[in-house]
């Protein structure tokens, strides 16, 4: 026998048990043995270790009508916390969740700089404050995941962030010099797709999630793993050309998908043509409710070009589920039905098309979930989305 085999098998069994406990929410030792096909002796030994480690807790099931009340096992959500950070142009958002993925605290910093040398100390200061505030739990902050709105290589080097004008930045390395917490750097669209998989679409292994806000970000989960491509830059679908020689894009090409079917395009056009600064969703909703023909026509064009790009994505990746994250689509009557009508190719196959139930928070909640996954060392998480969670929020300007 190779040295370490027993330890490796024990680790695999531990991961399997934790995953089932998280998936079920509450489960007995007997049912754990059934669903994992592990012996009761193995379950008992592993559960004893997990209880001693403070990762799980026991609960007596009430109102059990026949026989002895079973002792149920569940994850100890308060044993530690995950910190998700959304590093975007003009703002950094910090969200802290417990080990069940329920957000408990959120703060944001408005920033007027794009200089890396100025943003790095801001990140360090906030992370250190979170670490100090939550150090009394068993494991403190178990992991930090930072969402980047740009290209992140497989080695977690930030290759390019268009709006911040960052090139080849080693944020992970710079933070790890002063932060002794496991830390990961990931593309924001990937984290949004991860959140959709973890919190809602538990039964799918292949999912695409398209965020349509400032551009078009495409997160791809294939066989429950991020689809990254050779260098880690896969998913830049927003720069797929759908109108040859069309509108110029910052990437250097013309006719990119996001120049026709991202919310920023509609906001930019209406801000310019109607002379309204700081245009809001409420104002667009008002125009829609009033039957403003120009705004309705813009939304129809928005959907038209969106469907062209989605059809290409479906044909290329054959996803089981596609999730669209757009506040404008949530506002516009029958938007999803209108999109589906245009996805009628006889060779396009997908099972479900839906609008995100998480919205703009999917990125940062996906970051928290990924930190939890790494800490628990499980292949995938199935968590419940807590819509009623009370979150302490704060904001300040730097």
């Amino acid at each position: 026998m190779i040295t370490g085999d027993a330890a490796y098998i024990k680790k695999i069994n531990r991961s399997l048990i934790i995953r089932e406990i998280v998936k079920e929410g509450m489960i007995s030792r007997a049912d754990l043995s059934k669903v994992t096909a592990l012996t009761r002796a193995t379950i008992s030994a592993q559960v004893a270790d997990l209880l001693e480690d403070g990762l799980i807790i026991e609960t007596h099931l009430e109102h059990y009508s026949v026989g002895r009340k079973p002792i149920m096992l569940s994850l100890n959500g308060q044993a530690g916390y995950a910190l998700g950070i959304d590093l975007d142009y003009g703002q950094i958002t910090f969200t802290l969740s417990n080990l069940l993925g329920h957000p408990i605290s959120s703060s944001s910093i408005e920033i007027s700089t794009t200089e890396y040398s100025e943003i790095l100390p801001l990140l360090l200061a906030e992370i250190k404050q979170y670490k100090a505030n939550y150090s009394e739990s068993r494991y403190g902050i178990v992991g930090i995941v930072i969402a980047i709105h740009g290209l992140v290589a497989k080695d977690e080097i930030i290759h390019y962030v268009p709006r911040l004008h960052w090139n080849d930045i080693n944020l992970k390395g710079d933070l790890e010099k002063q932060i002794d917490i496991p830390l990961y750097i990931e593309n924001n669209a990937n984290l949004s797709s991860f959140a959709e998989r973890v919190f809602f679409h538990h039964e799918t292994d292949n999912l695409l999630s398209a965020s349509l806000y400032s551009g078009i970000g495409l997160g791809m989960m294939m066989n429950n793993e991020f689809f990254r491509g050779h260098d880690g830059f896969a998913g830049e679908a927003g720069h797929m050309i759908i109108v040859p020689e069309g509108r110029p894009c910052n990437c250097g090409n013309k006719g990119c998908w996001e120049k026709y079917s991202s919310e920023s395009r509609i906001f930019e056009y209406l801000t310019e043509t109607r002379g309204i600064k700081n245009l809001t969703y409420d104002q667009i909703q008002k125009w829609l409710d009033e039957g403003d023909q120009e705004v309705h026509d813009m939304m129809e064009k928005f959907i038209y070009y969106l469907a062209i790009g989605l059809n290409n994505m479906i044909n290329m990746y054959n996803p089981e589920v596609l999730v669209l994250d757009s506040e404008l689509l949530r506002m516009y009557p029958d938007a999803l039905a209108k999109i589906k009508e245009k996805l009628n190719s006889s060779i396009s196959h997908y099972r479900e098309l839906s609008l995100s139930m998480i919205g703009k928070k999917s990125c940062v909640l996906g970051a928290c979930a990924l930190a939890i996954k790494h800490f628990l060392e499980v292949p995938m998480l199935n968590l419940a989305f807590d819509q009623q969670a009370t979150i302490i929020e704060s904001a300040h300007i730097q």
Side-chain angles (χ1 to χ4, degrees):
M1 178 182 291
I2 300 173
T3 303
D5 273 359
Y8 177 72
I9 292 171
K10 183 177 180 180
K11 182 178 179 180
I12 294 297
N13 289 341
R14 179 186 174 98
S15 173
L16 186 60
I17 289 168
I18 291 174
R19 180 180 181 180
E20 290 301 324
I21 291 174
V22 175
K23 178 181 177 182
E24 297 299 327
M26 297 181 70
I27 190 170
S28 68
R29 288 169 173 81
D31 286 338
L32 262 180
S33 180
K34 292 177 183 176
V35 298
T36 61
L38 297 174
T39 66
R40 294 201 174 195
T42 297
I43 294 293
S44 294
Q46 288 274 4
V47 165
D49 287 345
L50 290 169
L51 286 168
E52 184 177 351
D53 291 343
L55 280 178
I56 63 173
I57 54 177
E58 292 181 318
T59 303
H60 287 273
L61 191 64
E62 299 297 330
H63 309 299
Y64 198 71
S65 57
V66 180
R68 189 171 57 183
K69 295 177 182 177
I71 298 174
M72 308 299 286
L73 306 170
S74 57
L75 188 70
N76 181 8
Q78 311 310 315
Y81 301 91
L83 182 59
I85 303 174
D86 184 3
L87 176 53
D88 201 358
Y89 176 80
Q91 180 172 280
I92 308 174
T93 301
F94 302 80
T95 294
L96 193 85
S97 80
N98 64 18
L99 294 186
L100 295 172
H102 299 164
I104 59 173
S105 175
S106 184
S107 62
S108 60
I109 302 174
E110 291 185 23
I111 51 176
S112 57
T113 179
T114 61
E115 293 297 324
Y116 178 70
S117 60
E118 296 177 31
I119 291 175
L120 177 61
L122 297 179
L123 281 170
L124 280 167
E126 289 293 316
I127 290 171
K128 288 178 179 179
Q129 189 62 57
Y130 269 99
K131 180 182 178 182
N133 291 346
Y134 293 90
S135 61
E136 294 183 2
S137 64
R138 177 70 177 263
Y139 294 97
I141 294 180
V142 303
I144 302 167
V145 175
I146 302 178
I148 301 298
H149 294 244
L151 300 178
V152 178
K154 287 182 177 179
D155 59 5
E156 297 179 76
I157 299 294
I158 300 171
H159 179 67
Y160 179 52
V161 182
R163 300 190 76 187
L164 296 178
H165 307 292
W166 288 3
N167 289 278
D168 300 322
I169 298 291
N170 188 8
L171 176 60
K172 179 183 176 78
D174 290 338
L175 289 174
E176 286 180 334
K177 293 174 184 176
Q178 299 190 54
I179 302 294
D180 59 346
I181 300 172
L183 190 145
Y184 309 90
I185 309 294
E186 187 55 78
N187 171 264
N188 67 301
N190 279 347
L191 291 172
S192 290
S193 69
F194 189 69
E196 297 294 343
R197 166 60 183 83
V198 166
F199 289 106
F200 281 100
H201 299 279
H202 296 163
E203 304 305 319
T204 181
D205 295 332
N206 299 287
L207 178 147
L208 298 185
S209 173
S211 173
L212 309 177
Y213 295 110
S214 59
I216 296 181
L218 187 74
M220 298 185 285
M221 299 288 299
M222 297 292 170
N223 297 319
N224 277 333
E225 298 287 345
F226 293 129
F227 182 81
R228 301 182 185 277
H230 177 67
D231 295 310
F233 305 153
E236 290 299 313
H239 297 287
M240 168 179 59
I241 296 172
I242 62 169
V243 179
E245 295 302 313
R247 296 171 186 150
C249 180
N250 293 334
C251 75
N253 283 322
K254 294 180 180 179
C256 291
W257 189 22
E258 67 179 40
K259 301 305 292 184
Y260 294 84
S261 203
S262 65
E263 291 192 355
S264 59
R265 170 59 189 166
I266 291 181
F267 272 82
E268 288 167 4
Y269 178 82
L270 290 175
T271 295
E272 180 180 349
T273 58
R274 305 203 174 189
I276 298 178
K277 292 183 178 180
N278 302 317
L279 181 63
T280 65
Y281 287 108
D282 288 341
Q283 180 62 66
I284 295 178
Q285 181 71 69
K286 183 173 181 290
W287 287 330
L288 289 173
D289 294 342
E290 293 172 347
D292 189 304
Q293 192 59 49
E294 182 184 31
V295 177
H296 275 273
D297 289 345
M298 285 194 71
M299 286 301 302
E300 290 295 325
K301 280 291 186 182
F302 177 74
I303 287 172
Y304 170 77
Y305 286 115
L306 178 60
I308 291 175
L310 289 178
N311 188 69
N312 292 339
M313 293 299 99
I314 292 168
N315 286 335
M316 281 191 285
Y317 296 108
N318 183 212
E320 189 176 359
V321 174
L322 292 100
V323 182
L324 306 178
D325 188 8
S326 164
E327 191 61 32
L328 290 180
L329 290 180
R330 281 187 281 270
M331 290 163 45
Y332 194 58
D334 301 320
L336 208 58
K338 291 174 183 289
I339 295 169
K340 289 179 180 178
E341 287 174 3
K342 294 175 172 55
L343 301 177
N344 52 16
S345 167
S346 61
I347 60 171
S348 291
H349 293 285
Y350 65 96
R351 178 175 62 81
E352 180 183 345
L353 177 69
S354 64
L355 292 175
S356 173
M357 297 289 289
I358 309 175
K360 287 186 175 181
K361 292 182 179 178
S362 64
C363 168
V364 74
L365 290 182
C368 291
L370 187 60
I372 295 168
K373 175 182 178 293
H374 285 306
F375 172 67
L376 296 178
E377 297 183 302
V378 292
M380 182 47 71
L381 287 171
N382 286 353
L383 298 174
F385 184 64
D386 187 2
Q387 291 179 307
Q388 306 302 318
T390 301
I391 306 172
I392 302 172
E393 297 195 22
S394 62
H396 53 284
I397 300 173
Q398 293 288 339

